[in-house]
Amino acid sequence: MNTLFDAAQVRQVETFCLARVPGGSLIDRAGRALARRAEVLSLQMPAPVRMVALTGPGHNGDDARSALQHLASRGFATAGIPLASLLALGDDETGRAHFLAQLDENCLLIDGLFGIGLNRPLAPALCSLFASINQRPCRVLAVDLPSGLDASSGGTWGAALRADQTLSFLLDKTGLHTGEAAAFVGQLQIDALGCEDLIGQALAQDPALARGRAQGLDETWLARHLPSRSATAHKGTQGSVLVVGGNAGMRGAAVLAALAARAAGAGKTHVHLLGADKVQHEALTLHHPGLMTCPTWPQDPTALKPYDALLLGCGLGQDRAATHALESLLSSAARLAMPVVLDADALNLLASGQVRSPGRDQMARLPWVATPHPLEAARLLGSTVAAVQADRLAAAQALARQWGLTVVLKGPGSVIARPGPDAQATPPPPALAPVGSATLAVGGSGDILAGVILGLLGQGLEAGHAAALGTCAHALAGADALGLLGKAQGLSPEELPALVRARLNAAPGTPLAGSCVTAHQRDPA
């Protein structure tokens, strides 16, 4: 687990370090680190390589100028272009065309324009220029973070430069790991510039600062925190879980979630397809013999007692039957203090006010997890998608605080936020899952995530822990799919459970043996 910091926290540590090192020392260290990184990148480029630095008025510009000096001393052709010159290109079509023409395959562009201090939208002319630069074949090395990216939220200030590599200094930043960051950061490296001891001193003096803004999850954390299974385990000790959903026209959503729960290790996985008759439930078990059905949904608390965890929402729909089932099951689960995952239409019905739910204080005592995407989160908050995406960490924490739920705000760099003991208490820092990959941009991948969390809850894991483990495994499975396929196109959600299972069983850094992605066989149903 890696502690991540927002812009204000980074600035606090940076100020502490600057006051304790000789003047100009950090700039020189940063310049040398950038020059080394640029030289390594140049080995992957056709010769002769030209080093061009875009320099802003702040520390990033100083770092980039220092890097150019070191690169020039090593024999590279160098050029520096200050921000004022770039802004002047907005009214100079000839100059703009000449500048862009320089950004060919022989050019390594060092982006030192804007850093963590950027706090306002970029000028339209600069946004347009960034878009043009992003289309050029040059390689880009970003100083600290890509210009235009918000260091705290991962959003952009209208546009951002797309980097092949980002060399970030002193501390890792939340904005490099969520939101739009995945499209701009490229390969990320952190360099403490020899200030490890000073950083440690700064954090030791301020416990709140030491907690950071969030905790970053990775494959090492996943492998260390997933409980090992006893050698004497049997299906009765690994949890019995129930998925309720799959209304007419959406049967597959509930089935996908159930398959994912089984892949995550649930001992027994049951499905109730809303509105389906006994024959349709029997057909499900013919196609998926490892699943069991619950043809009549449990309408009183005692009927839920055989189950260890419950998932509501995948393909649930929003008709009268769905509304009645959700309200009844929420009430029963609350009485039993049963672990519950709420996804999709369960969240939409809660947001609409059509379903009575336990109060916030009661839910905060229950092991319940909500898995909204940004639109569902906006509905629950009475907000907009733009507002949610502008600060994903704050939105996830607001949801957790307002509803009393552990929240997984889905998206690249999914945010896992836990509620405090009451609405006024300071909650623990959220966690950020790995970015995953665009292979997950397919209908059904969210149902898989909900099912994975369900399977872990059913095995007795605490809600926040199950949410973090499941979301981390799901994201890493997406990254694994990209590695196996080569490109992000065409992964089917039916293939994801096998990738999740492989990830949950893999040691850190172990490449997946062979391919877990197989050709999709059409379900005869």
Side-chain angles (χ1 to χ4, degrees):
M1 184 178 287
N2 179 33
T3 302
L4 307 174
F5 299 84
D6 64 23
Q9 293 168 330
V10 173
R11 184 72 74 199
Q12 186 176 339
V13 172
E14 182 182 57
T15 300
F16 183 92
C17 293
L18 284 169
R20 289 161 177 81
V21 297
S25 175
L26 283 187
I27 291 173
D28 184 64
R29 294 180 196 179
R32 289 179 184 276
L34 284 165
R36 287 193 297 270
R37 189 71 262 164
E39 193 164 12
V40 171
L41 269 173
S42 72
L43 298 176
Q44 306 167 16
M45 300 170 59
V49 175
R50 301 186 314 279
M51 303 289 182
V52 177
L54 307 181
T55 60
H59 291 311
N60 281 36
D62 293 335
D63 297 340
R65 282 185 284 270
S66 175
L68 280 190
Q69 293 174 4
H70 292 295
L71 288 165
S73 71
R74 299 176 192 181
F76 286 98
T78 63
I81 303 175
L83 175 60
S85 298
L86 288 179
L87 292 172
L89 294 178
D91 298 319
D92 181 1
E93 291 187 11
T94 301
R96 178 185 173 114
H98 177 70
F99 164 70
L100 292 172
Q102 297 179 61
L103 307 183
D104 58 19
E105 62 274 4
N106 297 97
C107 175
L108 195 156
L109 190 67
I110 300 174
D111 167 22
L113 285 174
F114 303 113
I116 63 174
L118 185 63
N119 59 6
R120 62 183 182 278
L122 299 174
L126 205 52
C127 291
S128 174
L129 185 62
F130 279 14
S132 297
I133 293 173
N134 288 340
Q135 297 300 313
R136 299 299 297 156
C138 60
R139 303 292 294 273
V140 178
L141 172 62
V143 181
D144 207 30
L145 73 161
S147 288
L149 190 71
D150 188 282
S152 299
S153 71
T156 68
W157 292 99
L161 287 178
R162 183 174 294 114
D164 295 282
Q165 292 196 12
T166 296
L167 184 59
S168 199
F169 298 131
L170 297 181
L171 297 167
D172 204 350
K173 290 89 177 165
T174 53
L176 296 172
H177 298 275
T178 192
E180 297 180 70
F184 298 103
V185 171
Q187 182 183 354
L188 174 64
Q189 291 186 323
I190 309 298
D191 192 325
L193 300 179
C195 292
E196 290 85 355
D197 289 343
L198 287 175
I199 292 171
Q201 293 173 31
L203 299 181
Q205 291 181 9
D206 188 341
L209 176 63
R211 286 195 294 272
R213 181 69 178 87
Q215 298 296 318
L217 309 179
D218 57 23
E219 62 176 13
T220 300
W221 176 88
L222 176 68
R224 287 177 178 170
H225 287 82
L226 189 72
S228 58
R229 179 170 290 193
S230 167
T232 59
H234 55 82
K235 65 182 181 182
T237 64
Q238 297 310 117
S240 179
V241 300
L242 172 63
V243 178
V244 177
N247 212 328
M250 299 176 286
R251 307 287 193 213
V255 175
L256 286 172
L259 293 173
R262 187 180 65 183
K268 293 182 284 185
T269 305
H270 302 76
V271 182
H272 173 76
L273 301 174
L274 206 63
D277 58 24
K278 185 177 180 181
V279 172
Q280 290 170 311
H281 278 95
E282 288 177 350
L284 168 63
T285 60
L286 288 175
H287 299 312
H288 301 285
L291 303 180
M292 291 171 275
T293 62
C294 174
T296 304
W297 65 268
Q299 300 192 35
D300 62 80
T302 58
L304 277 181
K305 284 186 176 180
Y307 306 106
D308 297 296
L310 173 66
L311 169 57
L312 300 168
C314 298
L316 186 70
Q318 299 185 47
D319 58 17
R320 183 176 298 179
T323 302
H324 176 57
L326 179 61
E327 189 168 284
S328 174
L329 289 168
L330 285 178
S331 176
S332 297
R335 282 193 238 175
L336 295 171
M338 170 179 283
V340 176
V341 181
L342 298 168
D343 186 46
D345 280 328
L347 300 175
N348 291 324
L349 285 170
L350 285 173
S352 71
Q354 298 178 56
V355 172
R356 288 175 297 176
S357 64
R360 189 264 174 216
D361 290 341
Q362 183 181 1
M363 282 204 281
R365 296 190 296 271
L366 295 170
W368 289 10
V369 179
T371 57
H373 57 54
L375 178 57
E376 291 159 351
R379 289 168 178 159
L380 288 164
L381 288 169
S383 181
T384 64
V385 172
V388 168
Q389 293 293 79
D391 194 338
R392 288 169 49 79
L393 281 80
Q397 288 185 297
L399 263 178
R401 181 173 59 251
Q402 179 176 320
W403 286 85
L405 297 161
T406 294
V407 170
V408 177
L409 177 56
K410 295 184 286 194
S414 293
V415 184
I416 303 100
R418 307 186 192 202
D422 58 65
Q424 284 72 45
T426 301
L432 286 181
V435 167
S437 79
T439 58
L440 298 176
V442 58
S445 63
D447 302 312
I448 299 297
L449 173 60
V452 171
I453 296 172
L454 172 70
L456 296 172
L457 281 174
Q459 295 171 71
L461 275 68
E462 180 268 333
H465 196 47
L469 285 168
T471 308
C472 185
H474 182 265
L476 291 170
D480 292 336
L482 181 62
L484 292 167
L485 293 172
K487 292 187 178 180
Q489 306 284 33
L491 182 74
S492 70
E494 294 94 324
E495 294 167 314
L496 263 175
L499 287 163
V500 171
R501 182 183 63 221
R503 177 47 60 187
L504 290 172
N505 284 284
T510 302
L512 296 183
S515 173
C516 297
V517 180
T518 57
H520 171 51
Q521 300 296 316
R522 183 177 296 276
D523 192 323

